[in-house]
Amino acid sequence: MKNNLIFIGMPAVGKSTVGVVVAKQLGLHFVDTDLLIQEQEHRLLREIIAEDGEDGFLKIENQVNSEVNVSDSVISPGGSVVYCEEAMNHFKEIGTIIYLKASYRTIKRRIQNPKKRGVVLREGQTFHDLYDERTRLFEKYADITINQDSCKIEETIEKVLTAVRPILK
């Protein structure tokens, strides 16, 4: 049953902010899977990454996201969930995936310091490399893409609502 909306995109695109308001407007539940990970692990995300490494974190992220069993919900996973094929296939089965797209310039302006934001870069990887890598995956999985460059948050929310109302009827 495809009665969930799943938001994907880079950090700072507003997955949680837009998700909460869209859920409220449509009378849906809201699920932040980063919080589910922290509840399961009894650790903050940055602690999991520091203690288990990026691969360990992705394993946990894949497990938690692939086990999300909700209906009539807006789901906001972390930006790295697109590396978790099992989780992404699960999301495809249970809902409509909405990619909140923003240009590299917009993301870079919003995130001054990727490390402080909890963005993990591999050895030798730049933030631009990460953006390019994830963008390809976001586009691969997206059912709907909402371009939010030069949009205020209210405009992004309205674009999402316009795109999803026909799907939810």
Side-chain angles (χ1 to χ4, degrees):
M1 184 177 252
K2 293 186 84 146
N3 57 349
N4 296 302
L5 303 175
I6 300 101
F7 286 96
I8 61 172
M10 288 296 289
V13 294
K15 295 181 297 290
S16 294
T17 305
V18 171
V20 166
V21 176
V22 167
K24 221 185 255 191
Q25 294 278 325
L26 297 174
L28 302 173
H29 304 282
F30 179 77
V31 178
D32 183 326
T33 65
D34 281 349
L35 295 177
L36 297 179
I37 292 168
Q38 289 182 166
E39 286 173 18
Q40 174 183 297
E41 297 298 309
H42 305 289
R43 300 182 280 171
L44 298 174
L45 298 179
R46 68 175 180 271
E47 293 170 338
I48 298 168
I49 293 166
E51 294 167 16
D52 298 9
E54 184 183 5
D55 289 340
F57 173 75
L58 288 175
K59 184 176 178 184
I60 294 166
E61 185 174 40
N62 186 55
Q63 174 257 314
V64 169
N65 281 280
S66 63
E67 292 175 1
V68 169
N69 184 18
V70 296
S71 59
D72 302 316
S73 296
V74 172
I75 303 167
S76 176
S80 58
V81 74
V82 290
Y83 296 122
C84 305
E85 190 172 354
E86 184 182 356
M88 292 307 299
N89 288 334
H90 173 66
F91 284 148
K92 277 282 200 193
E93 289 175 17
I94 68 165
T96 300
I97 298 177
I98 301 164
Y99 169 31
L100 296 180
K101 181 178 183 171
S103 68
Y104 175 74
R105 174 179 275 158
T106 297
I107 298 297
K108 189 68 176 137
R109 189 180 70 245
R110 292 178 186 174
I111 301 179
Q112 301 295 313
N113 184 337
K115 286 233 185 274
K116 278 189 178 174
R117 181 66 193 235
V119 177
V120 179
L121 299 173
R122 293 187 302 278
E123 184 80 29
Q125 185 181 40
T126 67
F127 188 58
H128 203 292
D129 294 337
L130 180 77
Y131 175 86
D132 291 342
E133 181 179 275
R134 286 190 183 179
T135 295
R136 285 190 293 278
L137 293 169
F138 295 139
E139 289 170 354
K140 170 185 171 183
Y141 289 112
D143 296 310
I144 297 170
T145 298
I146 304 293
N147 190 333
Q148 55 159 254
D149 277 329
S150 68
C151 283
K152 291 185 169 86
I153 193 81
E154 295 83 7
E155 294 169 308
T156 299
I157 291 164
E158 197 51 48
K159 283 183 175 184
V160 170
L161 290 170
T162 300
V164 301
R165 278 194 175 111
I167 295 167
L168 296 175
K169 290 193 181 208

